């Protein structure tokens, strides 16, 4: 009997929307219900490329804007063989940020088109579901101050949000907007329901290619 593949589930959203909190809860809930599930996150800061990105994000080094965009993309591509292997083994992957963050953050900088930013990520494994955790800047501010990493300013985060809104108009990707202003348990229940539906729908489908 052939193994049913796992689903690729991505959580996106602005800073402090609760992506990491919800990824952890979703992985735990899916595992508790007997579904093999693992978490991944991008950037994956432990690889050689990830270490360059980490140093850039922590403002310890500077990288030219096109270069860092390509490094973020390369950081996803270097993990594609592992992702495919796990999905084909029937393991669901819950991913904290993916190519959509890559495009939204770089295209929020002056002089970058959405098309140019999408190009290096074309053909990545296509998520079966992308949940966008929606949170207004005012609500995000109530969750604490911005940290010290690059990009953590209100003005830049608003520009990023607008780019995400453009990306969400693309019908080739299965988007689901989640109201992230609710309490953690209510947000989790919503995310879990959508994820179970996506897992059931994906199991007999081939893995797609993003933006192709
Ligand atoms: N970046 C890029 O430029 N290009 C790329 O290709 C990729 C990323 C992939 C690092 O991301 C930066 O890299 C990021 C985008 C850029 N820059 N920014 N900004 P990261 O994922 O490593 O770090 P982050 O996105 O800044 O993490 P964030 O602050 O993690 O947010 P979060 O994961 O959405 O939130 P959280 O950690 O789960 O929760 C934040 C706080 O809110 C925490 O205290 C929680 O307890 C609290 N919380 C969570 N949910 C709730 C609810 N429902 N109510 C109340 N309080 C809550």
């Amino acid at each position: 009997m052939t193994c049913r593949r796992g689903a690729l589930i991505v959580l996106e959203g602005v800073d402090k929307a609760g992506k990491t909190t919800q990824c952890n809860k979703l992985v735990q809930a899916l595992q508790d219900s007997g579904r093999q599930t693992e978490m991944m996150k991008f950037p994956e800061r432990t690889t050689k490329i990830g270490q360059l990105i980490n140093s850039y994000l922590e403002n310890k080094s500077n990288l030219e804007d096109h270069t860092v965009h390509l490094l973020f993309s390369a950081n996803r591509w270097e993990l594609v063989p592992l992702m495919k292997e796990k999905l084909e083994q029937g393991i669901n992957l819950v991913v904290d940020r993916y190519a959509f963050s890559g495009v939204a953050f770089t295209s929020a900088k002056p002089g970058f088109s959405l098309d140019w930013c999408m190009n290096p990520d074309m053909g990545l494994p296509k998520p079966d579901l992308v949940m966008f955790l929606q949170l207004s800047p005012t609500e995000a501010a109530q969750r604490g101050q911005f940290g010290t990493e690059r990009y953590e300013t209100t003005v830049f985060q608003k520009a990023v949000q607008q780019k995400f809104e453009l990306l969400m108009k693309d019908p080739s990707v299965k988007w689901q907007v989640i109201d992230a202003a609710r309490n953690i348990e209510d947000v989790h229940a919503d995310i879990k329901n959508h994820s179970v539906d996506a897992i059931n729908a994906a199991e007999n489908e081939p893995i797609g290619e993003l933006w192709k």
Side-chain angles (χ1 to χ4, degrees):
M1 193 177 79
T2 45
C3 166
R4 292 172 172 182
R5 77 159 170 99
L8 179 57
I9 296 168
V10 170
L11 268 70
E12 287 280 9
V14 288
D15 203 45
K16 298 206 277 283
K19 298 173 297 296
T20 306
T21 305
Q22 293 298 335
C23 281
N24 284 323
K25 285 186 75 70
L26 179 60
V27 169
Q28 190 63 56
L30 292 174
Q31 288 174 347
D32 289 349
S33 64
R35 297 173 175 93
Q36 287 192 88
T37 306
E38 293 181 18
M39 180 166 161
M40 296 182 83
K41 71 171 293 161
F42 292 107
E44 172 48 68
R45 301 186 194 218
T46 58
T47 66
K48 283 194 178 136
I49 294 170
Q51 285 164 24
L52 293 174
I53 294 171
N54 184 52
S55 162
Y56 170 81
L57 286 172
E58 290 183 348
N59 286 309
K60 290 179 181 156
S61 64
N62 271 324
L63 289 165
E64 193 275 331
D65 286 332
H66 299 79
T67 310
V68 76
H69 181 76
L70 296 173
L71 285 176
F72 272 112
S73 178
N75 185 230
R76 288 182 277 279
W77 279 107
E78 67 180 334
L79 286 162
V80 165
L82 182 67
M83 291 173 77
K84 284 190 171 165
E85 191 185 309
K86 288 188 183 288
L87 292 171
E88 281 156 9
Q89 285 169 354
I91 300 170
N92 302 303
L93 294 178
V94 173
V95 183
D96 190 347
R97 292 194 188 271
Y98 198 49
F100 314 98
S101 279
V103 175
F105 276 76
T106 303
S107 66
K109 296 177 179 178
F112 284 89
S113 71
L114 222 53
D115 274 357
W116 188 89
C117 294
M118 289 163 82
N119 221 34
D121 283 315
M122 281 181 191
L124 282 176
K126 182 176 174 175
D128 298 294
L129 175 65
V130 187
M131 286 176 277
F132 183 78
L133 274 60
Q134 186 81 265
L135 191 70
S136 72
T138 320
E139 287 158 332
Q142 286 163 3
R143 294 190 182 171
Q145 302 293 313
F146 282 122
T148 54
E149 287 205 337
R150 207 178 282 264
Y151 303 146
E152 295 189 339
T153 67
T154 308
V155 173
F156 193 71
Q157 294 289 330
K158 277 187 185 161
V160 170
Q161 168 93 25
Q162 285 168 2
K163 299 300 178 181
F164 272 123
E165 279 161 17
L166 286 178
L167 288 172
M168 280 190 267
K169 290 188 178 151
D170 171 9
S172 78
V173 174
K174 189 168 169 25
W175 287 94
Q176 182 67 52
V177 177
I178 303 287
D179 173 7
R182 295 168 294 164
N183 69 56
I184 290 175
E185 290 308 323
D186 286 355
V187 177
H188 168 64
D190 204 3
I191 285 177
K192 189 182 166 201
N193 284 339
H194 289 297
S195 300
V196 169
D197 289 347
I199 289 167
N200 291 336
E203 60 186 14
N204 296 312
E205 294 290 323
I207 301 167
E209 290 182 300
L210 182 62
W211 295 325
K212 269 194 159 180

